[in-house]
Amino acid sequence: MGSPTGPQRLFPSGADYAEALQHTQLCFRHPELKGARPELTKLGLPRAISGAFASVFSLTSATSGRRYAIKCFTRHVPDQERRYEAISTRLAGLDPAELSQPWNLGFEYLPDAISVGRERYPVLKMEWTEAVTLSSWLDDNHTHRFAVDHLADRFGALARDLDAHEIAHGDLQHGNLLVASDDTLRLVDYDGMYVPALAGMGGTERGHRNYQSPMRGNDDFGATLDRFSAWVIFLSLKAIATDPALWSRLHEPSGEFLLLTEEDFKSPDGSSRLQTLLAHPDRTVSGLADQVRSMAFQPLDLLPPLAQAVPRQRTAASTAPTTSSSGTAAPPGAGGLPGWMTGHVAPQAMSSPTATPSVTSPDDFHTRTWLDIATAVLWPLLLVVTTWMVIAGFSALPIGPGVPVIVALALTAFARSRRVELAQSRAALAKLTKELAQLDDPAKAAEKLRKDRAKFDTAETKRTAAYPREQDKLTAQYHAELKEAEKRKARNQRDIDKKIDGLSEELRKSLSKALADKQATYIRDQLGRRLIAQNPPHGIGPTLAGRLAAAGIRTAADFQGHRSVQNASYNSTGAVLVLNNGRHVAVHGIGEAKAIALDDWRRSLVASAEARQPTALNAAERQPIERSITLRRAQLTDQRKAVEAETDALREKARRKLEEGQQRLSRENKLAGDQARRQRQEFSRRTVELQHNSTLHGTLSSSVEAARLRQRRLSYARYVHFLYVGR
């Protein structure tokens, strides 16, 4: 399945896949997987090994009998099929003879391979290998020093294979490194692998946090991706091979790390684990630990490959300045940087406006001048004069015998102050003091860098955690809008369907009403044909018939019945006739008896007409009614289709909104990632500069103290000694 152009596709959970794999005959189409037997748990369910992006099941083919690891994806991975095609092509092109060991496993990406519910999803079919994870192997073998050391070398060879072919696994860790029965290594889980064909694309994961550099970001994806984790694993294996007790001391049972964790890389100074390795008496262990510590805050593309794993010997000699062939002390590296950093760090980070001090100051007087000779000659003369004055009794004079001594002391001080050595010493001390004052306090700079980095890490952690939450929020909003659209559609269609279902009853009622109207018309017509004057009821003569006609009642159709009324004048009961419009009329001569007779006559005519009335509508009468119902049905059907179209429009609107939101989030995340990457590079530059300045600060401080010591050696007493000894 290619990368979707619409909203991110939702994938089943591991439990959904496990349920589907109970019926491999139905869920698979692939001939080797159809009907395959999954490895089961004690409950009889397919056993799953679940990770962040997928669940892996072990299946044995019913046709070939071969065992496969089937990876079922539980989350969307951008350009998934393209990535696996590029990885598969690259790994298939490797010459086994050029590899240190058969670490790469064959796999096949199968789009639309498994059916879960009504949808089909891709799977990854991988070769099954009989091996154990690195951490499980160390649980059983950490006391076998030779075996662990041999495995460390095997791992180093694997890392060289990857580096030589410009491949990065992306998540080197104990769970993805398997140790086979012949003690060779196998790499599994290629989801985040980088190969040259994927250059320019982004990464899909950041790797296990206990193996990755704090500098690794979401946007890091290239051939150097594994370098930090490779050094971490190599250090752990070499340390255990040297001192097996470290496994029990630094590792935790079932811990998701070997010897070091994420916190050890982020805060190396406060890490007891890392300090244990740094202080280890074995120089290989302490040197590798120092190497890992120095790499923790360097950009990934500046880290050396594991092939350069030459342990740094952490001794006093290693930190002392080296002497060049010319005999001058060479300045230290950039703040005590490892040798591999030379040539990789920006020039401004490798040098400082204040270079390593080359100022020297004399610590003794050399070559007497005429002023020194004169001072040396005058000293005895003035002493003789002083003695003579004391003996001759001139001590009471205003001048006194102490004046020659004072003159001698002043002359000596003047002559000493004119010595070039003292001037050079003062100048050197002033220069060194000035250079030292120009440097920032390393402790304050380190504390500021630590705070800035902690603040950045906190903000970056929040940002990276907020990104998937915002994605989930968009997806949830999208599904909520779809759900609301479906509810609205169902509600409208239900109302329309109810109306459509009611059309049959409406037709029946309309036909019944039309027939009733036809029958009523027929009865009125028949009643209208029966004139009272021509066929009077009993007791109605021509006179009464004329009076009735005068009141508007000529036929049986002109009235509906009668109503009895009380005649107060004669204390008798009379009657009024009820016209069709409901109006009452009193006709002279028509009393209650004659009104009843008229009513009975009318009812008999109605009964006779009802017996002969039509019982059905003809085709011409039915057709307009049925046509009206048909038109109404068509209108309701069109309304139902309009509801479907409206719902499709709402779905499309929600999809576009989701896409726009995802694109916006992606742009914002990329911009933030680029900014974070630049900030990490700035932290790396500041770290290198701090290391350099710290070393330079220490060197300058030592030089200042040495210059002060040399200046103290050019004392007054030393100068007097020089006057008469000459050295």
Side-chain angles (χ1 to χ4, degrees), residues 398-419:
I399 298 177
V403 172
V405 175
I406 294 174
V407 171
L409 292 174
L411 179 62
T412 304
F414 173 76
R416 173 177 170 272
S417 68
R418 305 298 295 175
R419 289 296 306 183

Side-chain angles (χ1 to χ4, degrees), residues 93-133:
L94 298 178
D95 184 358
E98 296 179 357
L99 301 180
S100 62
Q101 55 208 298
W103 50 263
N104 58 321
L105 301 178
F107 67 88
E108 183 180 3
Y109 182 83
L110 304 175
D112 300 330
I114 186 171
S115 176
V116 181
R118 297 183 179 180
E119 299 286 335
R120 302 199 69 84
Y121 300 91
V123 302
L124 199 68
K125 181 169 74 76
M126 302 174 288
E127 296 178 5
W128 184 270
T129 181
E130 294 296 336
V132 297
T133 63

Side-chain angles (χ1 to χ4, degrees), residues 164-207:
H165 293 91
E166 296 183 283
I167 298 173
H169 179 271
D171 190 18
L172 283 183
Q173 45 120 323
H174 63 275
N176 291 333
L177 283 166
L178 306 184
V179 184
S181 56
D182 60 353
D183 289 343
T184 57
L185 293 167
R186 303 289 185 272
L187 266 181
V188 297
D189 190 359
Y190 302 157
D191 293 349
M193 180 172 281
Y194 169 85
V195 295
L198 299 180
M201 297 181 66
T204 61
E205 58 178 285
R206 294 183 64 178

Side-chain angles (χ1 to χ4, degrees), residues 264-282:
D264 301 320
F265 310 139
K266 287 186 174 181
S267 304
D269 294 338
S271 163
S272 60
R273 290 187 176 90
L274 187 56
Q275 293 302 321
T276 297
L277 297 177
L278 288 169
H280 199 278
D282 185 89

